[in-house]
Amino acid sequence: MARIKMQDNKLKNIGISIAWEEYEKELKVRGLSKFSIITKNSIFKDFSKFCNTEATKTNELNEKLVNNYILWLMERGNKNTTINSKMTNFKPFVNWCIEKEYCEEFKIKSVNAGQTIKSTYSVSDLEKILEKPNIKKCSFAEYRNWVLCNYFLATGNRLNSVVNIKIGDIDFDNNLVKLSETKNKKEQIIPITIQLSNILKEYTTYRKGEPNDYLFVNIDGQPLKRTSCQQALIHYTKKQHGINVSSIHAFRRTFATMYIQNGGNLFALQQLLGHSKLETTRKYVNLALKDLQDNYEQYNPLDVLINKNKREKIKMKK
């Protein structure tokens, strides 16, 4: 039996591209970071390749259209994890359109991507990467890349936070660093170790600059951009040191994993990584099978109990 409605909820039908322009303006008003908006725009451009968003109306935005878009992505060789990442950035726009009554309500379902353990740097990898270059012979770029590797491993900071650090953000007296650019837009102050503090002190004697200047720069003294930083560290780890893992985010995962392996507290790690949810932090701590096997018998309840009862008996015979 059809339900009685008090009013006819007619959809406000506009072009999807026009709806996106409105949505983007709201994101800027809400203070979403420039990088996040760029990421969302790249996803929408991808969606626009699938369908003509200039001609397609918002009332055509439905589960069937999105599912066809997902299939289109699959046909072009996108991994399921990549597709889910794209959908994570596309979902808020769909929900916004539903809220504005531009389209009917529907849900976007995730693609089954399985549970994969993402790469981290091994101890042998890190030993190669962290071997200090000869300052008398190396270029500033090589030295700076070495400093960056030390910084990423010692803090687990996100790339966007690191490229926006200024010299004055480093408090050498108290071994602290202020992060002005964070994912949640909240300023964060985190500790740094004495080892990293000494490395940064030495770096600033070569980099020079004023407190308001960016800490990490190119050879011309210009601020190091995100893409340039990524390319520089890929070259440093992969081409110069032959390391297969060449992702900056792998430093963040390595920091998290080793922090826990070395006895660190999960709740403290959550604060250091700047996560609002503990569950997000847990996902970063992916221990490899070998790490799970280490000391397994030592801590396994069965072995502990059996070994506890294995007491040497007093023998009468010599």
Side-chain angles (χ1 to χ4, degrees):
M1 185 181 293
R3 294 182 179 181
I4 300 172
K5 296 181 181 180
M6 294 298 293
Q7 58 185 12
D8 183 18
N9 293 326
K10 192 174 181 180
L11 295 174
K12 305 167 190 174
N13 197 21
I14 62 173
I16 290 180
S17 60
I18 295 173
W20 180 266
E21 288 174 9
E22 286 185 21
Y23 173 66
E24 187 180 354
K25 286 177 184 176
E26 279 202 22
L27 294 181
K28 291 177 180 177
V29 170
R30 294 202 313 247
L32 197 70
S33 70
K34 184 180 178 181
F35 173 68
S36 295
I37 292 174
I38 290 171
T39 302
K40 290 182 182 295
N41 269 320
S42 67
I43 301 300
F44 185 72
K45 285 178 182 177
D46 203 32
F47 180 71
S48 298
K49 291 176 184 176
F50 159 71
C51 72
N52 185 352
T53 52
E54 294 287 340
T56 309
K57 302 294 184 180
T58 51
N59 68 343
E60 298 175 67
L61 187 58
N62 52 33
E63 187 175 3
K64 182 180 178 181
L65 182 68
V66 173
N67 284 343
N68 285 336
Y69 173 49
I70 290 172
L71 290 171
W72 182 82
L73 289 170
M74 287 178 172
E75 288 168 1
R76 275 149 187 78
N78 287 274
K79 295 180 180 178
N80 288 359
T81 50
T82 303
I83 293 171
N84 284 337
S85 178
K86 288 177 183 290
M87 290 300 104
T88 298
N89 282 285
F90 193 65
K91 275 181 185 179
F93 170 64
V94 171
N95 292 335
W96 179 86
C97 286
I98 293 169
E99 184 184 329
K100 296 290 182 182
E101 297 182 350
Y102 287 149
C103 67
E104 296 286 355
E105 185 174 353
F106 71 96
K107 290 184 178 180
I108 297 176
K109 297 175 183 177
S110 298
V111 180
N112 185 5
Q115 196 71 18
T116 57
I117 295 178
K118 295 183 179 179
S119 300
T120 57
Y121 291 101
S122 67
V123 173
S124 59
D125 288 342
L126 294 173
E127 286 174 349
K128 294 176 184 177
I129 295 169
L130 300 181
E131 185 177 349
K132 189 175 182 179
N134 188 331
I135 293 180
K136 294 180 180 179
K137 296 181 180 180
C138 73
S139 65
F140 170 74
E142 182 181 355
Y143 173 60
R144 178 211 59 211
N145 291 343
W146 174 78
V147 174
L148 275 166
C149 288
N150 278 271
Y151 185 91
F152 279 115
L153 180 65
T155 64
N157 287 169
R158 294 183 179 91
L159 173 58
N160 199 50
S161 296
V162 176
V163 295
N164 282 288
I165 295 172
K166 294 183 178 179
I167 294 173
D169 292 333
I170 309 292
D171 180 354
F172 289 112
D173 293 330
N174 299 297
N175 294 326
L176 299 169
V177 59
K178 179 177 73 176
L179 304 177
S180 299
E181 290 288 331
T182 62
K183 192 171 183 178
N184 61 11
K185 305 292 287 181
K186 294 179 181 178
E187 187 177 276
Q188 186 181 6
I189 296 176
I190 61 166
I192 55 174
T193 65
I194 294 174
Q195 291 275 14
L196 180 60
S197 181
N198 290 335
I199 288 170
L200 292 175
K201 278 180 187 176
E202 182 190 70
Y203 169 76
T204 53
T205 62
Y206 292 97
R207 185 257 177 271
K208 304 189 186 304
E210 300 298 323
N212 206 38
D213 292 334
Y214 286 97
L215 180 65
F216 294 111
V217 293
N218 60 27
I219 198 167
D220 298 317
Q222 297 302 306
L224 198 63
K225 302 296 183 184
R226 287 177 53 87
T227 306
S228 300
C229 187
Q230 288 172 321
Q231 291 173 344
L233 288 200
I234 287 173
H235 181 271
Y236 187 76
T237 56
K238 197 168 187 177
K239 294 185 178 179
Q240 285 189 240
H241 293 89
I243 309 298
N244 289 328
V245 180
S246 57
S247 160
I248 287 182
H249 209 74
F251 278 108
R252 186 167 168 84
R253 290 192 293 270
T254 303
F255 167 80
T257 302
M258 295 186 74
Y259 183 88
I260 295 299
Q261 286 175 339
N262 293 331
N265 182 284
L266 188 64
F267 296 98
L269 178 62
Q270 179 188 2
Q271 297 301 313
L272 292 171
L273 293 177
H275 290 153
S276 57
K277 296 180 181 178
L278 188 63
E279 187 58 35
T280 308
T281 309
R282 284 198 179 99
K283 290 178 182 178
Y284 273 76
V285 188
N286 292 317
L287 301 179
L289 179 60
K290 182 181 181 300
D291 298 316
L292 293 172
Q293 289 174 328
D294 287 347
N295 302 318
Y296 181 67
E297 290 185 4
Q298 182 183 344
Y299 298 117
N300 186 282
L302 177 64
D303 285 75
V304 169
L305 290 171
I306 290 175
N307 290 329
K308 184 180 179 181
N309 293 321
K310 276 187 179 178
R311 295 175 181 173
E312 190 175 346
K313 306 291 184 181
I314 298 173
K315 296 179 181 180
M316 295 300 291
K317 294 181 180 180
K318 291 184 179 180

